Amino acid sequence: MSRILRTTTATLGVLLLTCAVASCASSDDASKSAGSSGAKATTTRPNDPADAAAAYVGLTKAAAIARAEREQRPWRIGREDDEQFMLTQDFVENRVTFELDDGKVTKATLG
């Protein structure tokens, strides 16, 4: 009985290891092998949160708030100059959080 148990355990271990290694393959690896020209394919993310948030950097406080409201995007101010505000830790995917210095947005993050 113990030989059967050891064999089964070893087989399951190998199977799990194989699945773990296979799941680590990235989509970049697949696109490299799929291309015949050898040129690296570039991927763009049209709704990249970093790009959407970066659009607010440099705006005045009023302009940033007006833009967020025009886009129907929830907003909040996390820091203004030296004053740090308390924020909730709930995740709202499209909410923008502003950090302001001298009345201008210096950092904006989504989420």
Side-chain angles (χ1 to χ4, degrees), residues 2 15-16 23 30 36 39 42 48 54 56 59 66 73 97 99 107:
S2 66
L15 180 63
L16 287 173
S23 68
S36 60
T42 58
D48 186 10
Y56 292 96
L59 297 178
R73 183 181 303 277
T97 302
E99 291 189 19
K107 183 178 180 183

Side-chain angles (χ1 to χ4, degrees), residues 1-99:
M1 264 303 199
S2 66
R3 183 175 177 189
I4 293 172
L5 184 59
R6 282 192 305 247
T7 304
T8 304
T9 304
T11 303
L12 286 174
V14 170
L15 180 63
L16 287 173
L17 183 60
T18 303
C19 289
V21 170
S23 68
C24 291
S26 69
S27 61
D28 290 341
D29 295 337
S31 65
K32 287 178 189 174
S33 63
S36 60
S37 67
K40 186 174 181 181
T42 58
T43 57
T44 58
R45 296 183 297 178
N47 297 323
D48 186 10
D51 292 342
Y56 292 96
V57 175
L59 297 178
T60 64
K61 178 181 178 180
I65 292 170
R67 181 179 184 149
E69 289 180 350
R70 185 175 62 249
E71 295 174 352
Q72 297 181 347
R73 183 181 303 277
W75 60 272
R76 63 185 179 179
I77 297 174
R79 182 185 57 80
E80 188 167 4
D81 297 321
D82 292 329
E83 188 173 2
Q84 188 80 28
F85 298 104
M86 294 181 70
L87 303 173
T88 60
Q89 292 185 352
D90 60 324
F91 181 76
V92 178
E93 185 175 358
N94 65 334
R95 177 178 55 204
V96 64
T97 302
F98 301 120
E99 291 189 19

